[in-house]
Amino acid sequence: MKFLYLLIALLFSFTISGQTIIGHWETYDDVTQERKANIEIYKTDGIYFARIVESYVSDNNAKCKNCEGERKNQPISGLVIIENLVKDGDEYNGGTILDPENGKVYKCYLELVEKNKLKVRGYIGVSLFGRTQYWLRKE
């Protein structure tokens, strides 16, 4: 009987650990549904970040002209757009997301809704006032 409990515990732990947001994701335009970018989500010291690996809608030398502060005129490729997320149950929250098209920074949270589908919500103040995108894991 102990063996059965151990087996169930191991299977459960593999299922949980296999569901991670770390990796490469593709973003899509809200209106046209065309691919926009390849985003890499990574973790450093228990905190999650995301950067643009490749933009499909701008050339390789494009800069973030509308960004402010240290991000102003930085290349779009390599730009960190999500910062300081922490895992909280099934969500990753407490951080911010940058929209490189308008240079604005919003609060955000991420939630893995399916193995290869990520809900990304950016908002002002409370989550009610915001926009949701769904990113797909890049295979």
Side-chain angles (χ1 to χ4, degrees):
M1 193 63 153
K2 288 181 185 179
F3 178 73
L4 181 60
Y5 289 132
L6 179 62
L7 183 61
I8 291 171
L10 283 173
L11 287 174
F12 183 72
S13 68
F14 287 131
T15 302
I16 296 299
S17 66
Q19 297 178 1
T20 179
I21 64 170
I22 294 173
H24 288 260
W25 298 87
E26 289 192 328
T27 66
Y28 294 84
D29 186 272
D30 293 338
V31 177
T32 66
Q33 296 304 309
E34 291 183 40
R35 281 187 327 160
K36 289 182 77 173
N38 172 3
I39 307 292
E40 177 189 20
I41 298 178
Y42 59 97
K43 182 167 90 169
T44 302
D45 297 326
I47 300 173
Y48 294 83
F49 300 86
R51 69 175 147 240
I52 298 173
V53 175
E54 180 181 9
S55 172
Y56 303 130
V57 295
S58 61
D59 67 61
N60 291 335
N61 299 321
K63 309 257 188 234
C64 192
K65 295 175 184 163
N66 294 321
C67 291
E68 296 180 359
E70 64 185 35
R71 292 179 175 148
K72 183 153 186 77
N73 292 319
Q74 291 298 310
I76 296 292
S77 292
L79 190 65
V80 176
I81 61 167
I82 293 179
E83 296 182 301
N84 302 318
L85 289 176
V86 294
K87 186 165 176 36
D88 182 15
D90 290 338
E91 289 185 0
Y92 300 79
N93 56 42
T96 58
I97 187 167
L98 166 72
D99 182 344
E101 290 181 7
N102 62 25
K104 294 185 180 180
V105 177
Y106 305 94
K107 293 181 181 179
C108 79
Y109 75 85
L110 308 180
E111 181 181 0
L112 196 60
V113 293
E114 294 175 14
K115 179 181 175 188
N116 295 319
K117 187 175 184 180
L118 185 66
K119 177 181 179 180
V120 179
R121 178 113 179 122
Y123 59 94
I124 299 172
V126 293
S127 180
L128 181 65
F129 303 109
R131 184 177 96 195
T132 299
Q133 286 189 331
Y134 291 93
W135 296 357
L136 300 179
R137 191 178 303 274
K138 187 171 176 164
E139 303 276 334

